Amino acid sequence: MRVAPLLESLPDHLPVVHGSGNAPWPTLLIVDSDPEMLRTLVFFFEKRGFHVAAAASCAEAKLLFARRTHWTMLISDYHLPDGTGWEFCCWVRDHPRAAPPFLLISASPNCAAFCPEAEFLAKPFSAEQLEARIRAMLPARAS
C-alpha cells in the first residue's frame, strides 16, 4: 500500500481547527496496522487541530475507545491483525453511548461491497480526498 499520494498532497501550511467556546477539542481515533499510514494520518489531523489517538489493532482501539466518553470521529483500516475495521465499527455501534461518525479505509477494492453500511474511502487517497470526506461526515462545529 502506498502512502506517497497522501504525503505528497499535504501542503506546507495546513489550516488548524481551534475549539470554540465550551466545545471540546475534536478527538479522533485512528486504527491502522501500517505504521507509515498511521503516522501520516496522525500528522494530517494533528495539524488540523485534532487530538489524535492511534491504534494498530482492534484490541488496542477498543481500549482507547473505552477511555473517552466522546469521540468526534473514528477512522479504521479494514484489515487489522486481530479482526477487521468493520468488526470494530459494529462493536462501537453496540455501545450504549452515541456512536461517532466512522470512516472505513482500505486498499481492497471489495471492501465497500463487504460493508455497504459503512462510509468508505479507498486507499491510496490524497489529502484533499480525505479532507473532503471528513468535512462531509463531521458536524459543522467539529470541522
Side-chain angles (χ1 to χ4, degrees):
M1 198 270 319
R2 290 192 50 210
V3 182
L6 179 59
L7 285 172
E8 292 166 2
S9 66
L10 290 173
D12 290 332
H13 302 288
L14 301 170
V16 176
V17 176
H18 295 285
S20 59
N22 294 332
W25 281 96
T27 54
L28 186 65
L29 175 55
I30 301 174
V31 189
D32 200 311
S33 59
D34 178 342
E36 186 177 351
M37 177 59 87
L38 199 55
R39 275 191 304 274
T40 300
L41 291 173
V42 167
F43 173 79
F44 178 84
F45 285 104
E46 284 181 342
K47 285 292 194 177
R48 283 163 170 74
F50 284 83
H51 288 277
V52 181
S57 68
C58 274
E60 193 176 354
K62 289 176 182 179
L63 286 172
L64 289 171
F65 180 81
R67 289 183 183 170
R68 293 194 59 89
T69 58
H70 173 77
W71 290 94
T72 304
M73 183 167 198
L74 308 176
I75 298 174
S76 180
D77 187 28
Y78 180 82
H79 298 284
L80 299 171
D82 57 349
T84 67
W86 180 244
E87 291 168 346
F88 176 56
C89 179
C90 292
W91 179 86
V92 167
R93 289 179 179 175
D94 286 342
H95 273 67
R97 62 183 170 192
F102 194 103
L103 178 63
L104 196 59
I105 57 176
S106 178
S108 172
N110 300 323
C111 184
F114 295 148
C115 314
E117 297 174 22
E119 288 287 334
F120 176 74
L121 183 61
K123 291 180 182 179
F125 46 79
S126 69
E128 291 82 15
Q129 290 171 311
L130 177 60
E131 187 157 19
R133 180 60 64 90
I134 298 304
R135 288 191 186 281
M137 292 177 68
L138 290 179
R141 66 175 170 79
S143 60

